[in-house]
């Protein structure tokens, strides 16, 4: 790992990407925050050349199998996605009158921002994306299974097709899920 975190060398290759909320705060248990992530992914698909091959949004992190085409760069797309969703989620959280964990979460995000010189005030996402280039079928199949079995391991569902916040429905339920999938 370099000083600037994990680097994506081949910007147009298919990658398995994972990033988490600072301190692993379980914010995506609320639909309003999960919707911001899903809507932002959809925007990136329509406007920034993002190809989503598989995805899974858990309570405090997201797994993606994604790629993009020239002239887009995956690292730029992820940077912009994380910045935009951070601002929107913090804005929604700050304006919430019903979020019971509001002060606690804002305190955590503020402390994380103060401890990271790359931020102005708050930090929502952890810095790294942990990219793994999926350059062979064995690695691809392994990451695809890991991603879709995450909600099962967490005890949320019994089968991959039953978890709404993933591409499990697309792959195992033969239906279209919340996001358009670019099958490989």
């Amino acid at each position: 790992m370099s000083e600037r975190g994990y680097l994506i060398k081949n910007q147009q290759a298919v990658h398995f990407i994972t990033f988490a909320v600072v301190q692993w705060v379980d914010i995506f248990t609320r639909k309003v925050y999960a919707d911001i992530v899903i809507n932002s992914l959809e925007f990136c698909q329509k406007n920034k050349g993002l190809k989503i091959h598989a995805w899974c949004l858990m309570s405090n992190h997201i797994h993606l199998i994604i790629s993009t085409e020239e002239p887009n760069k995956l690292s730029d797309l992820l940077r912009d996605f994380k910045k935009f969703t951070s601002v929107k989620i913090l804005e929604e959280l700050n304006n919430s009158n019903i979020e019971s964990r509001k002060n606690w979460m804002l305190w955590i995000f503020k402390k994380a921002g103060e401890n990271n010189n790359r931020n102005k005030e708050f930090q929502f996402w952890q810095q790294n994306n942990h990219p793994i280039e999926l350059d062979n079928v064995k690695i691809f199949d392994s990451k695809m299974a890991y991603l879709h079995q995450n909600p099962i391991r967490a005890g949320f569902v019994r089968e991959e097709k039953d978890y709404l916040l993933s591409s499990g429905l697309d792959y195992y339920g033969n239906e279209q899920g919340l996001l358009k999938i670019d099958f490989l």
Side-chain angles (χ1 to χ4, degrees):
M1 186 170 92
S2 74
E3 182 180 289
R4 297 181 330 169
Y6 294 86
L7 297 176
I8 297 174
K9 293 179 180 80
N10 184 346
Q11 293 288 323
Q12 280 69 49
V14 176
H15 281 79
F16 176 78
I17 306 284
T18 297
F19 47 93
V21 178
V22 295
Q23 297 297 320
W24 294 85
V25 173
D26 290 317
I27 192 164
F28 302 120
T29 56
R30 306 272 199 253
K31 184 179 184 313
V32 65
Y33 309 121
D35 284 348
I36 291 170
V37 170
I38 293 164
N39 292 337
S40 298
L41 286 169
E42 187 174 47
F43 176 86
C44 290
Q45 285 179 300
K46 291 177 180 174
N47 300 287
K48 294 185 172 266
L50 176 64
K51 292 184 175 193
I52 300 176
H53 308 293
W55 68 285
C56 183
L57 179 63
M58 296 297 287
S59 64
N60 53 23
H61 66 285
I62 187 168
H63 297 295
L64 300 164
I65 296 179
I66 56 176
S67 64
T68 191
E69 293 179 349
E70 290 277 3
N72 302 299
K73 291 185 177 180
L74 202 51
S75 55
D76 293 346
L77 193 146
L78 289 168
R79 178 200 62 221
D80 295 348
F81 171 82
K82 288 172 79 173
K83 182 177 180 180
F84 178 82
T85 54
S86 294
V87 169
K88 283 295 188 193
I89 291 168
L90 288 169
E91 187 178 276
E92 182 69 36
L93 178 61
N94 200 39
N95 293 329
S96 176
N97 293 323
I98 58 171
E99 176 58 70
S100 60
R101 306 166 301 158
K102 175 180 175 175
N103 292 336
W104 171 74
M105 286 193 285
L106 287 173
W107 180 81
I108 287 176
F109 300 143
K110 185 166 180 53
K111 284 293 178 194
E114 289 171 356
N115 293 328
N116 186 336
N117 61 4
R118 294 183 185 181
N119 295 306
K120 293 180 181 166
E121 189 172 347
F122 290 91
Q123 181 175 344
F124 180 77
W125 294 110
Q126 291 179 18
Q127 211 70 49
N128 297 317
N129 299 321
H130 303 284
I132 298 171
E133 188 173 335
L134 304 181
D135 56 1
N136 69 59
V137 174
K138 186 177 179 181
I139 295 172
F140 179 85
D141 289 346
S142 169
K143 294 305 177 186
M144 181 72 81
Y146 177 84
L147 177 150
H148 284 125
Q149 290 170 8
N150 214 215
I152 295 170
R153 285 189 304 276
F156 297 158
V157 294
R158 291 183 184 196
E159 296 181 44
E160 293 92 338
K161 68 180 177 61
D162 296 330
Y163 191 64
L164 182 63
L165 300 177
S166 80
S167 53
L169 192 58
D170 301 273
Y171 282 94
Y172 304 99
N174 297 317
E175 296 180 47
Q176 185 173 344
L178 297 174
L179 293 168
K180 178 186 173 289
I181 300 302
D182 287 295
F183 294 96
L184 294 173

